[in-house]
Amino acid sequence: MKTIGILGGMSAASTQTYYRTLCDLTRARLGGLHSPELLIRSIDFAPIAALQAAGDWEAAAAILNLHAKALQSGGAEVLLLATNTMHKLAEPMMHGVTLPLLHIAEATAARIARAGLKSPGLMATAFTMQESFYTDKLRAAGLTPILPNVDDRNTIHRIIYEELCRDIIMPDSRACYEAIAQRLAANGADCLILGCTEIGMLLSQSNVSVPVFDTTLIHCEAALDLALTQ
């Protein structure tokens, strides 16, 4: 089994989900006492979030690049960036890094295309919904992403940063997310992308009317597929 390097902490809540999901998937596939070979580099999210808010993506990229190199030096053979938003910086993060990076949007787009669906609703941070770095990957796979309206985008973003990234789960926020998902379906979405690694704390197939694509789960499954190849 190849060693999976996880660059996480953005947020810590989602990185915990990555660890638990990879352990569950490995046990399900291999049985017994098997668990994944992992290196986790969990960084302090507060400075990263401040750089996001300030629009200083160059400084954020330099931080990610430093930690990606550390994972490579530590023996990682596959790299996961355990956040959707920071895939905005996937290219500069990989300068001087030769590990294969599993891009979360590419893995998700491929899964949706294989399912024969075409118009995914996207719920994510404002950065991921409003900028092209993520939706371009979806369109390249032949998909037509459907975005929430401005007010809904602002609400999704606020709940992510003020609640979910802090491990706060509020029933009212769950109901709010459910309503947004329903509006996306009413506007033509034939499925829903949980495009922030924390959104699965509030939404799942159990409370969404269209097929749900959980990017964290998809990312972990793709990583394990690669880790188990010879």
Side-chain angles (χ1 to χ4, degrees):
M1 182 189 300
K2 296 183 177 72
T3 299
I4 300 170
I6 300 175
L7 179 46
M10 300 166 283
S11 67
S14 69
T15 304
Q16 293 173 58
T17 302
Y18 267 83
Y19 178 74
R20 182 173 61 252
T21 300
L22 281 165
C23 288
D24 290 345
L25 290 172
T26 301
R27 188 180 304 111
R29 292 200 194 184
L30 302 181
L33 297 175
H34 284 288
S35 56
E37 297 278 354
L38 301 176
L39 287 175
I40 301 176
R41 190 88 174 184
S42 184
I43 65 179
D44 183 5
F45 188 35
I48 296 292
L51 292 172
Q52 290 176 337
D56 193 349
W57 296 99
E58 183 176 353
I63 294 170
L64 296 191
N65 179 247
L66 179 68
H67 290 287
K69 288 177 177 176
L71 283 167
Q72 178 167 274
S73 297
E77 297 168 275
V78 178
L79 184 58
L80 291 184
L81 178 57
T83 157
N84 283 272
T85 296
M86 298 308 283
H87 277 75
K88 171 183 171 70
L89 304 177
E91 184 175 346
M93 183 189 79
M94 294 301 289
H95 287 167
V97 180
T98 58
L99 301 178
L101 172 69
L102 284 170
H103 197 292
I104 195 168
E106 291 176 354
T108 300
R111 183 71 63 87
I112 294 170
R114 286 200 302 271
L117 299 167
K118 296 292 185 183
S119 302
L122 176 62
M123 293 178 64
T125 67
F127 308 113
T128 303
M129 291 185 288
Q130 293 168 192
E131 300 185 32
S132 64
F133 70 92
Y134 200 94
T135 53
D136 280 352
K137 297 290 186 183
L138 303 178
R139 293 188 177 95
L143 306 177
T144 303
I146 296 177
L147 301 179
N149 62 44
V150 173
D151 287 342
D152 284 349
R153 290 200 299 266
N154 290 338
T155 298
I156 295 166
H157 186 88
R158 178 189 59 77
I159 290 171
I160 289 169
Y161 279 85
E162 294 182 5
E163 299 175 17
L164 302 182
C165 287
R166 305 176 191 211
D167 274 320
I168 299 170
I169 297 176
M170 303 290 291
D172 287 349
S173 294
R174 188 187 306 277
C176 182
Y177 270 28
E178 290 170 350
I180 293 171
Q182 283 301 109
R183 284 194 283 276
L184 285 168
N187 287 335
D190 59 10
C191 58
L192 179 68
I193 297 174
L194 307 186
C196 176
T197 49
E198 290 85 8
I199 289 180
M201 298 165 72
L202 294 179
L203 294 181
S204 68
Q205 195 60 74
S206 67
N207 61 347
V208 177
S209 63
V210 295
V212 169
F213 291 85
D214 184 336
T215 55
T216 301
L217 176 59
I218 292 167
H219 210 197
C220 289
E221 289 175 337
L224 191 56
D225 286 344
L226 185 53
L228 292 175
T229 60
Q230 297 298 321

